[in-house]
Every structure is written in C-alpha cells, then in structure tokens.
Amino acid sequence: MIRSVLFNVVMYIWMTIVGIACIPLLIASPEGARWTCSFYAKTTLWLLEKITGLRTEIRGNVPTGGVLVAAKHQSFLDIMLIWIPLSRPFFIMKSILRFAPFLGQYALRLGCIPVFRGKRAEAIKRMLAEVSSGKREGGQLLIYPQGTRVAPGVRAPYKVGTFALYDQLKQPCVPVATNVGVFWPKRGLLRRSGLAVAEFLDPIPPGLDRATFMALLEERVETASNRLMEEAGFPIAPAPQRVGDPVVDVVEDVAR
C-alpha cells in the first residue's frame, strides 16, 4: 500500500510537470500533443513497474488504419496501455471535459470529439465530413462499449450506441480485451504487482446487422478478458453479478 500511495502521488505530480512543460508542443501541432500524451503514458507505465512491480504488455495485432476500437474498460491503466501502440487514437468525450486542466486542451488538439448529451450522431457526421474534405485525418476512434469502468467479475451490458458508431463509420471494429482491473482496481489506491495485459483481437468486418455485431463484440471481448483475468489468478464466477438494467440502457441510448 505504501508503494501504491507513492506511485499515485508521483503519477499526478508528473502529469502536471509534463502538461506544463509540453505546452509549446501542444500549441505547435496535433502531433506535438500526441507525442506528449504518449510520452506521459510510457513514462508513467515505467514508473508503475519500478515503484509497484506492476508490468504491462500489449498482445495481438495493433490496427494502424481508420478503425473503431471497442475496448474493455476496467481502470485508468487500460486507457494508457491501449493508447500507446495506436498511431492516431482519439476519443468521443463529454463536452464538459473541454474545461478540464490539461486533459481538455490536449484532447481537443488531438482531434477528440466533444459532444453534448444526445448529440453524438451529429458529432460523428461532422467528423466524417471533415475527414472526407481533408480538414482532419482519420485514425482509431477508441470507445468503451459498456460505457463505464467495470470491475473484474462484474457484468455490465454492452450499449447499442456502439453499433450506431460502427454503422455510421462503415469501418472494421477491433475489440480489445484486458485484465488490468485485477491489478489496478476501479476504485482505491492499491496497485498490485503482476502482469497487466491489453490484447487486440480479430477485427469485426463492417456491414453486420445490430444483433450479430453486438453479440459478436460482447462474446469476443468477454471471452478474451476472462481468459486474461484467469491467467492473472482471478477466479471467474459462472454467473457474474449484473450491473444496470439493459432495458433502461437501451432506452437511454435510443433517446440519445
């Protein structure tokens, strides 16, 4: 626990130092902002291993072109771990995050898309139009199909909004599995030693119907994530706890 607390203090101090020191790169170009974010993530993972003994590993074929990346989300660690190997990643983010210190400014410079509640489809159409006109480059749109961090052993529904993006983008979808929550929990300060893994899985081709796509995405991500968590020593229960009401989630996604 002492090493975990030390790491958390160092991580946020380092974030502030890098964020301020690299402001000239942020102003200069999106590539400068991207380099800064990758530099921070790589150095933070190095600090994580040296201070807590938690190592990280990327597996699978990392996509390089324009794709939708749909990842299991268990903690802040998987954001950094998945970000590093991607050549041009960006997110759809809540509009209010534009005003977050450092995070908002770097995210906007990277081409992340701020959206208001219920305006996601409009934002995606604008993005596609900008790519077609040459105003922005394509890349890897990273999303979390469960919409939130989900602790190991807990099951949360996959939201149909993921299919809406897949259907609009007309691009392959690359699922990503992970076991990071076993070592870096959703909440709390403890960082356990071991090997945290993010694995890029076989892409799902464009053009599938909603039911087929959603079933295939969930099956691939959950199966691979369970395998990685078992590899890390976490027992997978045969009937995991359910979080949220899938009917409510579908209604909310449609309303958005």
Side-chain angles (χ1 to χ4, degrees):
M1 178 56 75
I2 293 175
R3 290 188 299 168
S4 297
V5 171
L6 174 61
F7 167 74
N8 281 277
V9 172
V10 171
M11 179 180 72
Y12 288 111
I13 292 175
W14 183 232
M15 180 185 293
T16 303
I17 293 172
V18 172
I20 294 174
C22 293
I23 286 177
L25 294 177
L26 169 69
I27 296 173
S29 68
E31 287 70 26
R34 187 174 298 109
W35 183 92
T36 300
C37 292
S38 295
F39 172 75
Y40 172 75
K42 290 175 182 177
T43 51
T44 299
L45 295 189
W46 181 84
L47 290 167
L48 178 66
E49 179 178 350
K50 297 305 178 183
I51 296 174
T52 70
L54 177 53
R55 297 171 291 118
T56 58
E57 181 179 296
I58 290 291
R59 297 178 186 173
N61 296 318
V62 179
T64 56
V67 297
L68 179 65
V69 177
K72 185 77 171 176
H73 188 23
Q74 295 183 332
S75 73
F76 181 53
L77 177 56
D78 58 61
I79 297 177
M80 293 187 289
L81 190 54
I82 295 169
W83 174 275
I84 291 172
L86 294 174
S87 60
R88 196 170 291 275
F90 62 100
F91 297 88
I92 291 178
M93 66 182 191
K94 294 180 180 178
S95 182
I96 195 172
L97 291 178
R98 292 177 298 169
F99 307 107
F102 303 121
L103 174 63
Q105 291 71 44
Y106 279 93
L108 289 174
R109 195 66 165 132
L110 287 165
C112 294
I113 305 169
V115 297
F116 293 96
R117 185 177 179 87
K119 300 290 186 179
R120 180 169 51 189
E122 179 181 315
I124 290 297
K125 288 179 181 178
R126 185 175 69 250
M127 182 200 75
L128 292 174
E130 290 175 354
V131 171
S132 298
S133 65
K135 291 182 179 179
R136 66 175 291 158
E137 297 184 65
Q140 300 88 43
L141 175 56
L142 177 58
I143 64 166
Y144 300 104
Q146 292 172 294
T148 186
R149 294 171 297 171
V150 179
V154 176
R155 185 174 181 181
Y158 280 58
K159 297 179 178 292
V160 295
T162 305
F163 173 77
L165 292 176
Y166 164 81
D167 189 49
Q168 285 179 293
L169 291 171
K170 311 297 183 186
Q171 294 176 340
C173 175
V174 178
V176 182
T178 190
N179 66 358
V180 301
V182 175
F183 307 100
W184 182 317
K186 177 180 177 180
R187 294 186 178 89
L189 297 175
L190 185 62
R191 308 290 180 250
R192 299 181 177 88
S193 61
L195 179 62
V197 178
E199 182 175 351
F200 289 85
L201 308 173
D202 292 339
I204 299 173
L208 301 181
D209 62 82
R210 188 176 76 176
T212 303
F213 170 77
M214 294 300 297
L216 187 56
L217 175 64
E218 181 170 358
E219 189 276 331
R220 287 190 181 177
V221 172
E222 292 301 310
T223 299
S225 294
N226 286 345
R227 169 174 50 79
L228 293 175
M229 287 187 285
E230 287 181 319
E231 179 182 307
F234 185 85
I236 301 299
Q241 176 186 352
R242 188 92 183 176
V243 171
D245 186 331
V247 175
V248 173
D249 288 331
V250 168
V251 172
E252 289 180 346
D253 275 328
V254 171
R256 292 189 187 115

